[in-house]
């Protein structure tokens, strides 16, 4: 993934660097991650159009795993490894 695409992540919903499948996956990740947000029927329908059952299960598992890892690391005061830094 290019640095430009990573830097455009906050604007994924409107950035031309992201295709529709990427946008819906990122929206899904936001809804799974941000408290008070929910995966509504409309979002789930868009996910089903972009991904088959196996891919949707894998995507959900990856998002859930990353959320769990983040909470685990934060609770134990494990700092970021700094694998990517903004230029």
């Amino acid at each position: 993934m290019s640095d430009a695409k990573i830097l455009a992540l906050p604007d994924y919903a409107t950035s031309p660097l992201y295709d529709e499948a990427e946008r819906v996956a990122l929206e899904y990740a936001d809804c799974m991650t941000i408290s008070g947000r929910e995966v509504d029927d409309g979002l789930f329908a868009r996910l089903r159009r972009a991904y088959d059952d196996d891919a949707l299960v894998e995507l959900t598992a990856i998002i859930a795993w990353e959320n769990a890892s983040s909470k685990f690391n934060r609770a134990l005061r494990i700092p970021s490894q700094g694998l990517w830094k903004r230029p």
Side-chain angles (χ1 to χ4, degrees):
M1 181 178 289
S2 70
D3 285 354
K5 198 167 185 177
I6 293 170
L7 291 170
L9 190 57
D11 301 313
Y12 72 82
T14 58
S15 172
L17 298 175
Y18 292 91
D19 64 30
E20 188 55 34
E22 292 170 323
R23 284 188 190 101
V24 74
L26 289 165
E27 183 179 350
Y28 186 46
D30 280 350
C31 287
M32 286 182 62
T33 303
I34 300 170
S35 296
R37 293 199 55 192
E38 191 171 317
V39 178
D40 63 26
D41 292 341
L43 174 56
F44 197 73
R46 287 186 291 130
L47 284 161
R48 299 289 301 224
R49 284 193 296 272
Y51 299 98
D52 65 20
D53 289 345
D54 289 342
L56 188 50
V57 168
E58 185 175 354
L59 179 61
T60 303
I62 290 167
I63 295 166
W65 172 258
E66 291 300 329
N67 279 318
S69 295
S70 175
K71 299 267 187 206
F72 184 90
N73 290 344
R74 194 171 307 137
L76 294 176
R77 311 303 194 263
I78 299 171
S80 168
Q81 295 177 348
L83 298 175
W84 186 84
K85 294 181 183 183
R86 291 181 186 264

